[in-house]
Amino acid sequence: MKSDYMRKTLCVLLESIYITTIQTDNMKRYFILLSSLMIDSISIQAQVSLTAERNGIRNGDIIMKQRTAYTGTSQKGNDVVWDFSMSENMGDPFRATYWNAAARGHALAKTERKASSYYEHYGDTLMLTGQESNMTRIHYAMGIPLLRYPMAMSDSIGGYYHGYAVDCENIYLRIFGYSISKVDAMGTLILPSNDTLKNVMRVHTKNLFGMKRCEDVKTESQLSNLTSNIHPFTTDSVVAYLQDTLPQMEEHTYLWYAQGYRYPVMETTSVGHTGNKKIYAATYYYSPSEQEYLANDPTNENVRAAMGKSMLQQATPQFGEIKGMGSFFDNGFTYHVVGPDAAGQLLVECRCASPTDVLCGLYTASGAVTGIVQHAENVDVAHSFKMDMLGLASGVYLLAFSVNGQAYSEKVAWKR
């Protein structure tokens, strides 16, 4: 009976914290081919890592999150391709807001859907120090290490932790566990928007935890005193309780970080009894284009600008420089671009000296595929097509061509 109660209580606890455009295979192949021609060289030019300056959480930041259908992600290592393009949205997007929580005894907090998480920085380490929802309050006397700055491929940070939880104002629990975060993969990420991002870093956090009900405790102050003074846990006692507590719980969180963006662009999380079916699982999408509007983030703006410049340099033919729209090149390829007009229509005209396959795609300045692509086969006379930019945000885009394995690009400005 007590085991069943503990399972039910833990499910309620977890739930209170966690729950408060399809392309054809050929089109996806075109996206990947064209993006590979444009941005494969970026990983060579810079060491990919998470840093406090580029990726630290900040007071006042607001990001949008969209829950999508859960997608499992077991691949790890180098050169992995993760495809979330088939993930369908679930519900409306919501805000995650970061704010100064000094008044509540913490450095920073993140609030989303009426639940808050609290954080502290200890040296180069970001720690989770508390969580709160309408039903539950959690305080960690020994916090959970989440990230260490900097972190690169194969780096990890972990440790034992403990604290207490108050559920429904009358259930008093001691919680304890072991958490480890590791950069376990690098690769290409295809987002739900069908944008493709290269050199994406994934952080995997595995959290093994349990809890023990304090039957004799009647108030939160008594629980706090028990945890901090009367019977504080040590690392050895946490290890012992984890070994003796059944069922143990496992939480797995995966975060995908892309260059030039402060916060993850994708997240998956799942919780369940060790070795058994998941109790809760979810996937979230943090739109990169939304993150580009974060205020006072010049470091990441510079990274995105540098990546755009690298793509332009990569796209320049080795046998000569691009001289502008309408230029003639040594392989007999010419192109001309008109627009976009007020309706967002971009007219592209091209000609080749001999029958040639031409791929043409539109990219954001940071290298993300917008999903707008054209493919023309056996072009040897004037060929034209239109690309609709009406649904895109205002900004500067890169129009990229691939002709016989040679890449060309032009900047295109669009204002809605």
Side-chain angles (χ1 to χ4, degrees):
M1 289 295 291
K2 184 172 290 188
S3 177
D4 290 340
Y5 171 79
M6 295 298 281
R7 287 192 183 94
K8 182 177 179 181
T9 300
L10 189 53
C11 289
V12 172
L13 178 67
L14 292 168
E15 193 168 296
S16 69
I17 293 297
Y18 290 109
I19 304 177
T20 324
T21 342
I22 300 174
Q23 303 292 337
T24 65
D25 290 340
N26 284 337
M27 198 66 75
K28 285 183 184 177
R29 178 168 57 85
Y30 297 152
F31 290 165
I32 295 172
L33 172 62
L34 195 54
S35 62
S36 296
L37 288 170
M38 292 296 292
I39 57 180
D40 270 345
S41 66
I42 295 174
S43 60
I44 300 174
Q45 299 173 13
Q47 172 71 31
V48 181
S49 63
L50 298 179
T51 70
E53 184 181 16
R54 293 195 301 266
N55 304 107
I57 62 176
R58 304 184 308 171
N59 176 38
D61 281 350
I62 299 175
I63 56 175
M64 298 301 296
K65 295 179 67 172
Q66 171 67 62
R67 184 174 179 181
T68 69
Y70 177 73
T71 304
T73 52
S74 59
Q75 311 99 310
K76 60 183 179 180
N78 289 299
D79 301 320
V80 179
V81 176
W82 302 282
D83 189 352
F84 288 89
S85 62
M86 304 295 288
S87 297
E88 297 181 358
N89 291 345
M90 299 177 64
D92 296 326
F94 56 93
R95 292 186 175 192
T97 302
Y98 292 86
W99 48 281
N100 187 323
R104 299 195 183 187
H106 306 272
L108 287 169
K110 177 182 70 173
T111 297
E112 56 185 58
R113 297 191 300 183
K114 299 181 180 180
S116 296
S117 298
Y118 299 100
Y119 306 93
E120 296 279 354
H121 283 101
Y122 292 97
D124 60 1
T125 301
L126 176 67
M127 306 282 287
L128 178 67
T129 53
Q131 293 169 282
E132 185 175 8
S133 72
N134 290 339
M135 300 290 292
T136 306
R137 290 187 302 280
I138 300 176
H139 172 76
Y140 296 105
M142 184 186 295
I144 303 177
L146 298 179
L147 295 172
R148 186 188 72 243
Y149 302 112
M151 286 185 75
M153 184 64 182
S154 299
D155 286 346
S156 64
I157 184 171
Y160 291 93
Y161 66 89
H162 70 89
Y164 69 80
V166 179
D167 189 48
C168 300
E169 300 297 342
N170 60 6
I171 299 173
Y172 302 97
L173 306 162
R174 296 196 71 164
I175 56 178
F176 41 85
Y178 177 78
S179 176
I180 183 168
S181 297
K182 181 177 182 178
V183 181
D184 72 341
M186 291 285 300
T188 299
L189 178 63
I190 306 174
L191 297 170
S193 60
N194 279 309
D195 292 342
T196 299
L197 299 176
K198 292 275 190 175
N199 306 309
V200 175
M201 170 188 293
R202 187 180 74 177
V203 178
H204 173 208
T205 299
K206 178 181 178 180
N207 183 13
L208 179 68
F209 62 99
M211 66 180 185
K212 174 181 174 60
R213 186 170 183 182
C214 302
E215 302 283 358
D216 297 331
V217 172
K218 303 303 180 184
T219 67
E220 183 173 352
S221 61
Q222 290 179 355
L223 183 62
S224 176
N225 189 42
L226 174 68
T227 303
S228 300
N229 301 313
I230 298 175
H231 187 200
F233 281 174
T234 63
T235 297
D236 289 342
S237 56
V238 172
V239 172
Y241 273 110
L242 281 175
Q243 293 173 344
D244 293 341
T245 300
L246 294 175
Q248 288 182 343
M249 303 296 295
E250 278 190 25
E251 176 189 16
H252 291 268
T253 300
Y254 295 89
L255 300 173
W256 284 261
Y257 287 88
Q259 292 182 85
Y261 299 97
R262 179 165 296 275
Y263 296 95
V265 292
M266 291 296 302
E267 172 189 354
T268 68
T269 184
S270 63
V271 184
H273 299 116
T274 301
N276 291 315
K277 187 177 180 180
K278 298 178 179 66
I279 296 172
Y280 173 82
T283 297
Y284 297 98
Y285 170 47
Y286 305 64
S287 169
S289 60
E290 292 283 348
Q291 292 194 45
E292 291 180 7
Y293 291 99
L294 285 176
N296 301 317
D297 198 12
T299 301
N300 282 304
E301 291 174 7
N302 291 337
V303 171
R304 295 195 298 268
M307 291 172 65
K309 182 178 180 180
S310 296
M311 286 183 289
L312 286 171
Q313 292 172 342
Q314 174 74 1
T316 302
Q318 295 181 355
F319 49 77
E321 296 182 358
I322 292 179
K323 299 176 182 178
M325 298 180 182
S327 299
F328 181 82
F329 299 100
D330 290 352
N331 65 355
F333 172 63
T334 61
Y335 66 94
H336 185 66
V337 181
V338 180
D341 58 22
Q345 297 298 308
L346 185 70
L347 176 64
V348 181
E349 300 173 341
C350 58
R351 181 191 295 268
C352 298
S354 60
T356 305
D357 286 356
V358 177
L359 284 175
C360 182
L362 200 63
Y363 292 74
T364 68
S366 61
V369 181
T370 64
I372 301 175
V373 66
Q374 291 286 344
H375 177 229
E377 298 180 351
N378 296 317
V379 175
D380 62 350
V381 295
H383 181 85
S384 65
F385 45 78
K386 288 185 176 181
M387 308 180 85
D388 187 2
M389 300 180 66
L390 187 60
L392 300 180
S394 298
V396 176
Y397 292 82
L398 297 177
L399 182 67
F401 298 90
S402 172
V403 183
N404 290 335
Q406 184 63 58
Y408 307 86
S409 71
E410 287 285 354
K411 289 184 179 180
V412 176
W414 161 240
K415 185 175 182 179
R416 300 181 65 173

